[in-house]
Amino acid sequence: MNNKLKQLAVALPFALLSTTVSANWSTTITAASDYTFNGVTQTDSDPAIQASLDYAFDSGIYAGAWASNVDFGDDTDFELDAYLGKYVQLTDTVSADYGIAYYTYQGNNSDGNYAEAYTKFGYASEYGQTELNFWYSWDYFGTG
């Protein structure tokens, strides 16, 4: 299966689900001129098609998946990530969001697969929302 067909196969279910209405489900589809992560291009400065599918429980627990095409100059065609977390509204203005994400790279090279734990603290005021985010990986992109 060529790269464009793989991208379509990944994005199509997200697109179809985006037309259904359910308060706990959400989905996004994004076209980007360049997919960068931590300041590094993931698509060799080429465009990317990205999609997500998420489910949020009333308890604040959420789970989801996210996909994008990638180009590292090898046989890796796309990234498929999964995440699980919990959002908690601590006060009227302070929130916390914590969880774990697992990044996978599909193709002949999966040495870059890794997990990352995160915690985000939010503060909302009449001037807007501010977040302080902490992310930690014990094996970032297979580097140990």
Side-chain angles (χ1 to χ4, degrees):
M1 184 183 289
N2 72 32
N3 193 25
K4 295 295 180 193
L5 285 176
K6 287 181 185 177
Q7 293 170 21
L8 181 61
V10 168
L12 186 61
F14 295 103
L16 293 175
L17 285 170
S18 68
T19 61
T20 63
V21 176
S22 178
N24 293 348
W25 286 98
S26 65
T27 186
T28 62
I29 296 178
T30 305
S33 61
D34 181 16
Y35 165 28
T36 59
F37 182 70
N38 290 338
V40 178
T41 182
Q42 304 295 292
T43 55
D44 196 25
S45 299
D46 288 333
I49 301 294
Q50 303 166 335
S52 70
L53 178 62
D54 304 288
Y55 186 84
F57 295 90
D58 293 335
S59 64
I61 294 173
Y62 59 88
W66 183 89
S68 178
N69 60 296
V70 296
D71 182 358
F72 300 130
D74 59 12
D75 291 333
T76 306
D77 296 326
F78 67 97
E79 175 182 345
L80 181 59
D81 307 337
Y83 40 90
L84 176 67
K86 180 159 176 134
Y87 176 84
V88 180
Q89 190 70 42
L90 300 171
T91 69
D92 288 343
T93 58
V94 178
S95 63
D97 183 352
Y98 55 92
I100 191 162
Y102 190 71
Y103 305 88
T104 67
Y105 300 91
Q106 308 303 310
N108 291 336
N109 180 7
S110 62
D111 294 338
N113 296 352
Y114 68 98
E116 195 168 52
Y118 60 87
T119 302
K120 306 175 187 180
F121 297 99
Y123 176 76
S125 70
E126 70 246 25
Y127 304 109
Q129 173 83 15
T130 301
E131 279 191 357
L132 180 61
N133 298 327
F134 298 94
W135 294 78
Y136 176 76
S137 177
W138 44 96
D139 189 22
Y140 178 72
F141 205 76
T143 61

